[in-house]
Every structure is written in structure tokens, then in C-alpha cells.
Amino acid sequence: MTKLSVNINKVATLRNARGGNVPDVLKVAQDCEEFGADGITVHPRPDERHIRRSDVYALRPLLRTEFNIEGYPSDDFIDLVLKVKPHQVTLVPDSPTQLTSNAGWDTKANLSFLSEVLDGFNQAGIRTSVFVSTDPEMIEYAAKAGADRVELYTEPYASSYAKGREAAVAPFVEAGKVARSLGLGLNAGHDLNLENLHYFYQNIPWLDEVSIGHALICDALYLGLQRTIQEYKNCLR
């Protein structure tokens, strides 16, 4: 069954907007687990505009499900991940100033860099995932670099879904087949929501995990967190 990892960055954004500790990021993460989430994702950025490094350290001993830390592999990020030792690290090619992830890695051009970084994480026993587009060559070079999984960047699917879902999902199905043929695990994330997630899952049922934050937290404002998590889980059945 495809796992649902809840990205709690937006909860931290809300907390940071006012100062203090409301909402409590640690409690929300634990509540997500209690309500059925299979994992928690965080994306600490250098400016700590949402998740802080202190949050990452505090979350690790509290979580009972899988902990996924994503980010650009700067020296500080690598040090954080190696100290915390989450279940999974997801490498994204974001610059420090980016608002959100908006592209996958050029794994061919960055093969040497990614190979070195991934080797360090693999030696530490941390499962590795690399954020990529649907380009088969990018997936192939992620495998060459030593990744355990790839995470497909799904914003193009989400933005095209309303125009024609068959055409929107087609390149992702092919990318998923390429990943599977190379022995890579398969994750997906970015702009997946209650409208488009089930169709994506129906067409790629061998997905290992989806990581969803912004849409899920927005839905929780209307539906409540517990019901929202169950609705997303229902999309993966």
C-alpha cells in the first residue's frame, strides 16, 4: 500500500508568523501519526522560515512512523541529516531563496556530486531519494548515483489534470515504469490533492510513498486534520 507522509512545513509557517509555539509543531506531527499518517516530512531551509533545525532534532525521538527530511544537500543540511538519522532523506535541487521546489535534479550533470552525497547517507543507513522530473535519463542517472528511490515532481501533472487527466498522468506512468525497471523505489510529491491523487495512484499503484503538505493542511482548515488525513488515505486505496 502506498504510504502517506504528511509535510508539516505549513504548520511551522503558521507558528512562526505569530511567534510562540501555537500551533505546536511537535504535537501536530504526533496527531498526524495518531490520525493515520504513515510518516512525517519536513523541509528545513537555511532561513528557517518554517521548519527550524531545532524542530528536526525535537521530532526525531517523538515520531513512531517514518521520518523524511528533504532539502538541498549543503554542508549544514548533510550534517543535520547525519546527526538526526531519519528513515529517509530526499534531495531537492532548491536554491536557498526558492519559495518552493519547482524542478527536479539534472542528475546527469550532477552525477559526481550526487554520488558522493548519496554514498555518505547510504553508509549511514539512511534510505535516499532524489527529486526528479519524468525524463527517463534523469531517473537512470539517479540510479547510477546510488539513489534508493526517486521522487517524481508532480506539479506538471497537477496543473494539467483538469485539461485532460489521461494525458497528464501518461509521462508519470512511463517514468514509474523506468524507475521500477531500474530497481528504484518510487515516491511522488508536489501539488497532489484530494481531486487528483486517487487517479494518480490508480495509474501507478506501485508507488511507495506520496509526500503532501500544502494541500493537506489547507483542506484541514475546512475538514479538520483527522478527517483530512483519512480522506487522503482513502485516495490511496
Side-chain angles (χ1 to χ4, degrees), residues 57 69 75 92 102-103 117 121 138 143 150 159 198 200:
Y57 286 112
I69 303 177
D75 289 343
V92 297
N102 62 5
V117 172
F121 289 140
M138 296 301 102
V150 290
S159 63
H198 182 61
F200 192 85

Side-chain angles (χ1 to χ4, degrees), residues 66-226:
E66 286 204 350
F67 192 22
N68 172 48
I69 303 177
E70 63 181 27
Y72 179 82
S74 62
D75 289 343
D76 285 349
F77 178 83
I78 292 170
D79 179 67
L80 174 67
V81 173
L82 290 176
K83 286 178 178 175
V84 173
K85 290 193 174 179
H87 301 88
Q88 178 175 269
V89 58
T90 301
L91 304 186
V92 297
D94 294 4
S95 75
T97 59
Q98 274 184 238
L99 183 63
T100 186
S101 302
N102 62 5
W105 281 95
D106 183 336
T107 51
K108 185 176 182 179
N110 291 281
L111 177 62
S112 178
F113 172 64
L114 288 172
S115 296
E116 181 179 353
V117 172
L118 291 170
D119 183 60
F121 289 140
N122 287 330
Q123 286 190 35
I126 303 168
R127 186 173 69 235
T128 55
S129 180
V130 174
F131 200 57
V132 295
S133 69
T134 56
D135 183 340
E137 187 176 40
M138 296 301 102
I139 298 169
E140 290 166 9
Y141 273 87
K144 289 179 180 180
D148 297 310
R149 295 183 181 181
V150 290
E151 178 173 330
L152 298 178
Y153 169 53
T154 49
E155 191 277 334
Y157 163 74
S159 63
S160 300
Y161 180 84
K163 303 171 189 174
R165 61 184 190 173
E166 295 86 358
V169 81
F172 291 87
V173 173
E174 293 308 309
K177 291 177 180 177
V178 171
R180 185 167 59 175
S181 73
L182 293 167
L184 293 170
L186 187 65
N187 298 341
H190 207 89
D191 286 354
L192 295 173
N193 58 37
L194 288 176
E195 180 182 1
N196 61 41
L197 178 59
H198 182 61
Y199 186 74
F200 192 85
Y201 167 74
Q202 278 186 312
N203 283 272
I204 315 174
W206 62 92
L207 271 172
D208 290 297
E209 173 189 296
V210 292
S211 175
I212 303 176
H214 183 80
L216 189 150
I217 299 303
C218 289
D219 287 330
L221 294 174
Y222 292 93
L223 304 176
L225 186 59
Q226 182 171 9

Side-chain angles (χ1 to χ4, degrees), residues 23-69:
D24 185 333
V25 169
L26 305 184
K27 185 177 187 307
V28 171
Q30 291 177 295
D31 288 341
C32 287
E33 291 185 315
E34 182 179 344
F35 297 153
D38 304 296
I40 299 296
T41 292
V42 295
H43 186 154
R45 294 181 182 271
D47 61 5
E48 296 196 322
R49 63 179 181 265
H50 33 62
I51 286 292
R52 301 167 181 156
R53 293 172 66 90
S54 59
D55 295 326
V56 179
Y57 286 112
L59 282 164
R60 185 64 178 98
L62 295 178
L63 298 180
R64 296 175 286 104
T65 59
E66 286 204 350
F67 192 22
N68 172 48
I69 303 177

